[in-house]
Amino acid sequence: MDPLWLALFIAFAFALTALLAPWVAPYDPIEQNLSATLQGPSWANLLGTDHLGRDILSRIIHGARPTLLTSSIAVLIAGSLGISLGMISGYFGGLADALIMRVMDFLLAIPAILLALLVIVILGPGPSSAMFAVAVVGIPEFARLSRSQILSLRTREFVLASKSAGASTTRLLFRVLLPNSAGPLVAQAIVLAALAVFLEAALSFLGLGVPPPDPSWGQMVSAGKSYLQYAPGYSLFPGVAIAILILSLDVIADRIRLHFSGDENSITEAPTKAA
Amino acid sequence: MFRSSTESANHVDNGNNSQADTVLLSADAVEMRFASRKSLFSRSSSSVVAVDGVSFTLSSGEALGLVGESGCGKSTLARISAGLYKPTSGIVRLDGKDINSMSRKRRKQFHRQVQIVFQDPFASLDPRRSILEIITEPLRIHRIGNRKSQRERAIDLLQDVGLDEEVLDRLPRDFSGGQRQRISIARSLALEPAVLILDEPVSALDVSVQAQFLNLLQGLKERLNVSYLLISHDLAVVSLVADRVAVMYLGRIVEVGRTEDIFTKPTHPYTAALISASPERSGETGGAKRIILEGDPPDPANPPSGCSFRTRCWKAAEKCASEKPMLVERRDGQASACHYPEL
Amino acid sequence: MLMTVQDLSVVFETDRGPLHAVRGVSFELEPGKTLGIVGESGSGKTALARALMGIVKNPPGRIAGGSVLFEGRDLVQLSEREMEDVRGSQIGFIFQDPMVSLNPVMRVGLQVAEGIFAHDSQIRKEEVRRRVLALFKSVRLPNPERCYSMYPHEMSGGMRQRVQIAIAVANSPRLVIADEPTTALDVTVQAQVLETLKAIQTDSGTAMIFISHDLALMRTVADRIIVMYAGRIVEQGLTNAVLDFPSHPYTAALLAAAPTLKSRGRRLSVIPGSLPSPLLLEDGCSFEARCYLSLNRAECGVRPVLAEVGELGSSSACHFSKEVSVHSTNFGDGGEDVS
């Protein structure tokens, strides 16, 4: 079977469960049951319980929420900011371009986690800081991508044609250039979403994301590491969830990129029939 | 009419005084300089002069051909005339007004009057838009009509170019090169421009498709009284459509005159060489000797001193290296820039 | 006979079915002569050129039948290894865009040297260099010493094409196949390059197959020409005979559709309609739908066979070749388009 379908299914299932968490989860994620701590998988608790007797499955389901929230908002912020900066840079060039790109280069030079941590240090820990941290990590790549798209498209004849028909700069940017750059940008959005899942988990793992007792995947992995010997599921299950989601998102991103680069070629491909 | 940049603003008589031809579009000593770094490591930037002091006038109902080989600056000149580039010096005028010092509003009006069709049929149409959207975009930009009237206008335009209504809802990728060029023309006619600039419109097309397209151009010119600025490297294409022809070499106009005159009695050696090199030569006129130029076209970043053609010209003499020839009228309506013209 | 092509067919497998690019093409080439292959896009001339060079991309393309006899061997039957021996030593190639066929990161002198070395591994370095410089001189490259160490992008289009010619003739092949060699060049440069090609040919007695879409160009280049349409030969013969007295309606229409320096103000004749889909193998004449001569006559339902016609030695695949005249006035009307 085409792995794309599996990936799409997983991504949608994830989003759905995150949205409908309270109705899907079998238990209250923060309800403790100290008489049944660190249980392995059983009929009562499909994935077992953690060190406070809380149902791991329910915590994973609820833990999808901060992940979903952080990735979506981070992608939204990084996307709108990054793409706008890239468009300005690519279309107008000159000083603006030089300035913007130097800043982007600077951000890109810092490893993602370090950069995220830097933002957290400035903003203080918490779920909203995590969002901004991931957004900041994501902006430069969007900027670079949209800039290169704009650069390659702005001298194409159909853009010049619109310009020669009297189109204003705004119109050119938003109605002509942006839609034609959409493909790789959408793929990048998904790639960033996958990165966001990872970063959010990492930040939560370090205790800088969602504070307890609200569940988040990274935090669960972190908490579970003390019990790896006799209750490996505690760390393992949320870890697997993280991995599967990131993998699925990457597969989707890859496909989108492939699809759009194929489209690109068809613009220059000449059909064989005459007239 | 063409004149060198140092002559005064006088018409060179084209011998056709029947009516006062209104000059629509004109260029006055237009120069376009592009800065280019010599190499990755050099700090200094040399400049390439793509268009070197060109002046012309285009009158209503007239078709002016611009011929030359690659690097002569004709495409750049076309884009400058369409208002897509701002020349580094010189003025382009529409109805006597400088287009680059127009207000935003007035500039938009300019674009209504002057439209351009490009060479590459596969890059001239927005791949994501339907044909309807592409053709009506100029109308929407200038807020002409409503959806319904715009669609009707699109249908009329398609008919003018010989395409069917059902084309409207499809995407560019469904069409061949020849059809796309027609769509490009349909779009450029949407605003009923007075001037149509065509930048190598048929170079990418097969001969049989080219024929249809050229017939279309001639028909449109007669019916709609549109003026053409037709750019091509193909002499035969230009000679079919144009009333007057200007020959360019390395950014300058080297010869200009009526089409028949240029191709039967060229006065500039480059023109003669171009004609001789064209596979489809003048045909029956025997005695046109085979001219093979020596050497390669010069580097626009490093043009020869004096006459830029002298490095390949069989007549080159001392004067050619020291003095740049100006456009001088030779015969009635025909001018060339050469110290030793063929007369 | 230097080369005899017999019934050559090239098919491309696509997801919409087999695409018949070349359908049973046959011709002969004498030593030292130039054969022009003319056709528009979709005529199959490129696929034919590739088949002759043995570079049909497989998959999706393949030689579906026929033979290419060259110096006694059938090139179609040769293995890739054997074909490599032939290429560059017995048959030279010149392509349309030298920017694409020359290695951009290697100096041109070395590229020519490589070609020589590939077929003579014993040769000494100094000897190779001497030969390359001699070649550069024979292709009229100015300052061969300097050119030797230039990269392709440092040269002009005309110069690059000359380098390609040098590579093609480096090992004195008996045949050079040139695929649209001057299409990407300026007209004056084209004239120069063609002069060079002719000079080389006359000096070394090399035969040439010259592929182009430009009918008029053939007059100065080819001794005989082949006109292709929809994968088949529709007319062939001596160049001037075919161009002055065409005996196939497609040739005539093509000649009438080309603008000349004297066609000012006149409407060009147009070939209405478009190429038939190469996915179909229809029964009748493939040109019928666009033919001004057919007039729906029943004979056109049967595919015409290439047959000798007239006294000039031309052959044409048309039932009504005798009625073809380049001065015919009732060609297709202009403007109507079948979208």
Side-chain angles (χ1 to χ4, degrees), chain C residues 12-201:
Chain C
F12 287 87
E13 297 295 341
T14 70
D15 42 0
R16 281 179 296 163
L19 198 147
H20 302 269
V22 179
R23 312 181 197 199
V25 163
S26 308
F27 61 82
E28 295 179 326
L29 177 62
E30 287 175 38
K33 299 282 187 186
T34 302
L35 176 69
I37 300 182
V38 167
E40 297 179 296
S41 54
S43 61
K45 64 183 192 304
T46 313
L48 176 58
R50 301 253 164 103
L52 295 176
M53 299 183 196
I55 56 174
V56 174
K57 201 151 180 226
N58 186 356
R62 65 189 165 91
I63 297 187
S67 60
V68 178
L69 285 173
F70 179 71
E71 306 236 287
R73 292 200 289 177
D74 184 1
L75 298 181
V76 172
Q77 304 298 333
L78 293 184
S79 69
E80 180 56 27
R81 196 74 190 66
E82 291 168 315
M83 207 43 210
E84 274 174 24
D85 270 342
V86 172
R87 282 191 217 120
S89 68
Q90 288 166 54
I91 304 182
F93 303 107
I94 302 172
F95 297 98
Q96 176 176 345
D97 188 353
M99 262 328 262
V100 171
S101 48
L102 290 178
N103 187 338
V105 297
M106 195 193 265
R107 296 182 206 272
V108 299
L110 260 107
Q111 294 192 46
V112 184
E114 259 198 352
I116 297 178
F117 197 72
H119 294 275
D120 181 0
S121 46
Q122 310 296 332
I123 195 170
R124 284 181 352 260
K125 263 177 43 180
E126 307 80 48
E127 175 67 17
V128 174
R129 190 188 159 89
R130 190 193 63 77
R131 271 173 66 174
V132 173
L133 291 175
L135 274 167
F136 278 3
K137 188 147 178 275
S138 68
V139 298
R140 320 251 181 92
L141 271 175
N143 205 336
E145 305 274 346
R146 194 161 156 263
C147 287
Y148 191 98
S149 29
M150 283 173 97
Y151 287 99
H153 66 267
E154 294 176 315
M155 300 180 127
S156 70
M159 288 169 80
R160 288 195 287 261
Q161 229 16 341
R162 288 166 206 280
V163 170
Q164 264 212 98
I165 296 177
I167 295 177
V169 302
N171 294 306
S172 308
R174 307 277 325 266
L175 169 65
V176 169
I177 300 181
D179 187 3
E180 305 259 21
T182 55
T183 306
L185 301 174
D186 278 331
V187 132
T188 48
V189 179
Q190 174 175 279
Q192 290 174 298
V193 171
L194 288 177
E195 270 291 294
T196 310
L197 260 179
K198 255 210 288 204
I200 293 225
Q201 244 194 310

Side-chain angles (χ1 to χ4, degrees), chain B residues 69-70 162 179 206-208 211-212 215 218-219 235-236 239-240 242-243 260 277 280 282 292-296, chain C residues 40-41 156 159 186-188 192 195 214 216-217 257 259-270 336-337 339:
Chain B
E69 298 176 301
S70 46
Q179 290 167 320
D206 272 332
V207 159
S208 47
Q212 284 178 328
N215 286 345
Q218 286 185 299
L235 299 190
S239 70
L240 187 72
D243 303 309
E260 319 78 78
E280 189 51 70
S282 324
I292 308 281
L293 294 176
E294 286 300 312
D296 282 312
Chain C
E40 297 179 296
S41 54
S156 70
M159 288 169 80
D186 278 331
V187 132
T188 48
Q192 290 174 298
E195 270 291 294
D214 193 336
L217 196 58
T260 68
L261 293 177
K262 305 216 107 197
S263 44
R264 178 160 159 58
R266 269 189 255 146
R267 280 291 200 278
L268 295 172
S269 303
V270 150
E336 277 325 288
D337 177 283
S339 61

Side-chain angles (χ1 to χ4, degrees), chain A residues 38 43 45 70 78 80 91-92 98 102 104 108 113 120 146 181 208 212 216:
Chain A
L38 298 176
W43 283 118
N45 305 90
T70 311
S80 34
Y91 193 78
F92 296 105
R102 290 303 75 75
M104 296 301 127
L108 277 170
I113 298 197
I120 302 268
S146 76
S181 330
L208 297 169
S216 98

